Amino acid sequence: MAKIGVVVVSGMRERLQMAAMVASVGAVSGHEVAVFLSMNALPYFRQGVEPLALAEGEVGVRLEERRAPPFKQLFQQAVELGQAKLYPCSMAMDVLGLQREDLEPYLAEPLGLTKFLEDCGDAQVWSF
């Protein structure tokens, strides 16, 4: 099975949804999946935060109207059903003043970008 790396930096609905779909489908298909959550994506993974990501366009609006599974639910399923790893970016945590206990419990321990890219050296890497 292939190894898949997903770098998520956007806070826009369509990008978060697509990243979650790649992670969840990859994980439940038996691929090794590692997700790096940074920049404007990381705040959505605070415990108790309901994601109200803005839509970039029509598809983002329709995702909500048609009640597509929320991206946080898909990411959590990737971890629980497919054993994906979701790594919060240590630099973004510092910038946002977040501690590990502020984040969803299904996230792995924080990583720096250097370590994430080193671990994904032989992976397909997708960026959203």
Side-chain angles (χ1 to χ4, degrees):
M1 288 289 166
K3 186 173 179 180
I4 299 171
V6 181
V7 177
V8 190
V9 297
S10 174
M12 302 307 289
R13 182 179 303 149
E14 293 91 332
R15 294 172 190 264
L16 289 161
Q17 190 76 22
M18 192 66 210
M21 291 166 50
V22 169
S24 62
V25 170
V28 298
S29 297
H31 298 284
E32 183 180 344
V33 176
V35 178
F36 189 71
L37 301 167
S38 189
M39 303 296 176
N40 293 326
L42 187 58
Y44 292 104
F45 293 88
R46 289 185 194 140
Q47 284 196 60
V49 171
E50 285 301 316
L52 297 172
L54 294 176
E56 290 181 291
E58 182 180 350
V59 172
V61 172
R62 289 184 184 241
L63 283 169
E64 183 143 335
E65 289 173 356
R66 302 219 176 178
R67 299 185 180 169
F71 64 85
K72 281 181 73 172
Q73 179 183 335
L74 293 175
F75 277 122
Q76 186 172 2
Q77 287 175 347
V79 172
E80 293 173 356
L81 302 176
Q83 301 180 2
K85 299 282 187 195
L86 276 63
Y87 298 102
C89 169
S90 57
M91 184 211 68
M93 288 179 65
D94 286 345
V95 169
L96 295 168
L98 296 173
Q99 302 298 311
R100 176 63 191 91
E101 58 271 12
D102 297 326
L103 300 173
E104 295 288 357
Y106 57 86
L107 269 57
E109 289 300 311
L111 275 185
L113 180 58
T114 303
K115 175 69 173 146
F116 180 81
L117 292 177
E118 181 182 303
D119 290 350
C120 287
D122 58 345
Q124 300 175 32
V125 179
W126 300 72
S127 179
F128 298 93

